[in-house]
Each structure stands twice: as structure tokens, then as C-alpha cells.
Amino acid sequence: MPSDNHSNDMNSPADAQAVCSDTLELAKALVRIPSVTPDDKGCNALIADRLKALGFTIESMPFGEVNNLWARLGNKGPLFCFAGHTDVVPTGPESDWQFPPFEPTIHNGMLYGRGTADMKGSIAAMVTACERLLSEPVELNGSIAFLITSDEEGPAINGTRKVVETLSARDEFIDWCLVGEPSSTSRLGDIVKIGRRGSLHGRLTVQGTQGHVAYPHLADNPVHRALAPLDALCRETWDEGNDAFPPTSFQIPNINGGTGADNVIPGELKVSFNFRYSTELTQQVIQDRTKAILDGFDLNYILDWELSGEPFLTQKGPLVDAVQQSIAQVTGDNTQTSTSGGTSDGRFIAPTGAQVVELGPCNATIHKVDEHVSVKDLETLSSVYEDILRRLLID
């Protein structure tokens, strides 16, 4: 059963010592704010206050119901940007949680709460990394920025996408971007994302003629007509992938047809599908090849497309090198680069020409009941972030 004193639930000397961590305390403060997407509920104001005290210029960028924060320290390039989101996914029934999701709880060396791993812990580590770095009389060989949104877990229309459009319109471009998404798997820093596959959604409507199942000659069953072309799409080898990306994946998550009655041939069938595609393909190539396959069958259809994000890849260079070297320096371990997983807001930043990597805590519990992150990892992550800044902007 949960403790009656959740926020002070410490059952080891390590738990008690962890309370002294600035990173932990900021992470706890952010977790206490129930910022279910798209409402940041004051998270950005809390972050802005900490950054303003360091000399950052604070700029609020609201679009629709989304509150975005752009904070910058310095006017010269290169520009290093920490990117992240304060919005979290819904908790589901809170009774299913071991500890209340918005009452940060330390238990067995772990910080429990919604957003601890995805990604308020990373944001706290970013802020405290800057606080330590700037507590010294250092001269930056460039600028530092924060791009924080509350629209990553939702439609992702009025968040990072709009901020990047605004920055580009005034010729303000990010050179290096570190997104704090939880990239690690077994241990902190074992995986760094250097790119993501593209995501392209298709919504297919196959049209037929409704009728009685006993009189099929008077109807045209769209379900039957769709089976062969859908099978052809599933069997298609779209590409072989490359050194950075696995082969393109085609998946059908939803098929809807029928009236609910067992004796009625439906008049239409709706199918949604998704391509997770590599840099071997483009949106246009996928759309053209899909149309060619569908047109090879006797099919009356309507097909609509929605691009969630194009694939991007950051090659070896200053940012990737600094991240790998910092992880090795702070943790003593090596890291692997990867492009696996879903999409992230990096898909909106990379097309501007920025080098983009994703580095954050372990992702085993993100979006789950009892989401949690290692308290020790939070402080280690902050140290890694600080070391990256030193390598890129000071050393």
C-alpha cells in the first residue's frame, strides 16, 4: 500500500541523501504540476524563472491553447538548444498507481510520478546543468537556448512546429539541438538517438454498394475488393533500409466496415495504415508506389495522406562526438547510436539544418502506470548535459 507521506517516502540512506539534489528538487516541483497535454499549468513559468535568473532572455510563444517557451542566452553562434516538453499523457485511473501520479515519491532509489521519465526529469537536468556551468565566470563560444512546449504528447501542431517556424521567419536557427526524450534502455546513456524514421499516415476509403448478403449480385462488397490490394501492400518490399535505418515498415492499425448487422453487405470500408520509413524513400515515392499498387486492382477508392514527420539523421560530427564523449567521461560507459522508436519533436527541428540528438533517462516506464526514473540517473544526466555544453561552447 502507498505510504501516507508520499513525497517523503524514503526507505534507504540513498533516498535520504537524494533530497539534497537540485535536479531532484526541480524534477519534483515539475511533477507536482498536473500538466496533462496541452496545458502546461505553470511549468514553463517555473522553468523561465530559473533561466531568467541566469541571464536568459525569456520569450513566451503561445499558439492556440499551447504555451511555448523560448529562452536564449547570448547572441552569437553557434546556437546550442535544449528541447523538451512539459506536457504529459493522462494517468488513467489513479487508483491503479502505487503512489499518486502527481505527488512525487521517492521509493527504493526511484522517483515516481507522471512525467518523471518523459520528460520532466530531463528538463530539470538541463536547467541545473546550466546553473552549475554559469555559476563560474565562463565565456561561452556561442549561445544556449531552451525550446520547451506543452504540445508534444498531443497533436503537436501548436508546439515545437510553430516555434521553429517563428524562429526561421526571423532568421534565427539552431545549430545543435539536444532533445531530452528518454532514449536510454538498460542504463543511462546506453542509447542515443541520432535520427528518427519518417511517419506517413494513409486513410483509405474503399467504396462499394450496400445490399443483402443473400443477393450479392445486387451489391458490391468493398471488403472483398480490398483484401487483395491490402495484401499486396503488406507483401511489398518498400526498401532494404541502410546502415542507420531498418527497412521501411507498413502497418494497418484500423479496419472499419459493416453496419453491425450480419445480413448486410456494407457500402464502404475504411482502412488506416502507416509507413515508418527510412531515408531510402520520400513521401512522394511512397504515395506514388501505393497508388500504383491500388490502381492495379478493380477498386473504387479515395485515399488521403497525412505526414507526421520526415526521416532525419544526424551524421557523426561535433554534436554526436560531444554527446558520446560526455557519456563516456561521466558514466564510464560507451554508448550506441540508434534511430529506433517512434517520432519526436526533433522532426520539426532537423529540417532547418540543425544537428539533432536525443538523450534522456531510461524509457521502460514511460506512459505507464507507476512511471519512474532513477534518482541517481537524474543527477548523472545533469552532469552529462553540463559536460556536453563545456565541450561544445567552452573547451
Side-chain angles (χ1 to χ4, degrees), residues 80-262:
F80 177 96
C81 178
F82 284 117
H85 62 90
T86 55
D87 59 323
V88 298
V89 296
T91 64
E94 294 194 14
S95 58
D96 291 345
W97 287 65
Q98 181 182 7
F99 307 106
F102 296 114
E103 183 59 42
T105 305
I106 301 172
H107 180 72
N108 288 338
M110 298 290 176
L111 175 65
Y112 283 77
R114 174 60 84 218
T116 50
D118 188 16
M119 55 171 287
K120 292 180 176 181
S122 295
I123 292 176
M126 294 170 179
V127 172
T128 57
C130 289
E131 288 175 337
R132 286 194 308 275
L133 178 71
L134 299 173
S135 67
E136 306 172 8
V138 296
E139 181 177 348
L140 299 177
N141 299 319
S143 302
I144 305 174
F146 279 72
L147 195 171
I148 308 297
T149 185
S150 61
D151 183 38
E152 196 274 346
E153 299 291 7
I157 294 173
N158 290 318
T160 300
R161 182 199 303 259
K162 288 287 182 67
V163 174
V164 170
E165 290 174 356
T166 301
L167 296 175
S168 297
R170 66 191 195 195
D171 293 327
E172 189 171 5
F173 296 100
I174 298 166
D175 295 288
W176 300 314
C177 182
L178 192 154
V179 185
E181 290 291 348
S183 62
S184 305
T185 54
S186 300
R187 56 174 175 77
L188 179 67
D190 59 351
I191 298 293
V192 171
K193 301 293 176 67
I194 59 169
R196 294 282 189 158
R197 294 175 295 174
S199 179
L200 179 62
H201 305 284
R203 294 178 176 85
L204 174 69
T205 301
V206 180
Q207 298 172 322
T209 302
Q210 183 174 310
H212 197 294
V213 295
Y215 301 93
H217 60 288
L218 299 178
D220 182 6
N221 194 324
V223 178
H224 292 185
R225 289 196 178 273
L227 292 178
L230 290 178
D231 181 61
L233 289 171
C234 291
R235 291 176 179 272
E236 180 76 0
T237 299
W238 297 93
D239 62 37
E240 301 292 342
N242 53 39
D243 290 342
F245 291 91
T248 291
S249 168
F250 171 84
Q251 295 294 322
I252 300 174
N254 290 293
I255 297 181
N256 297 287
T259 64
D262 292 336

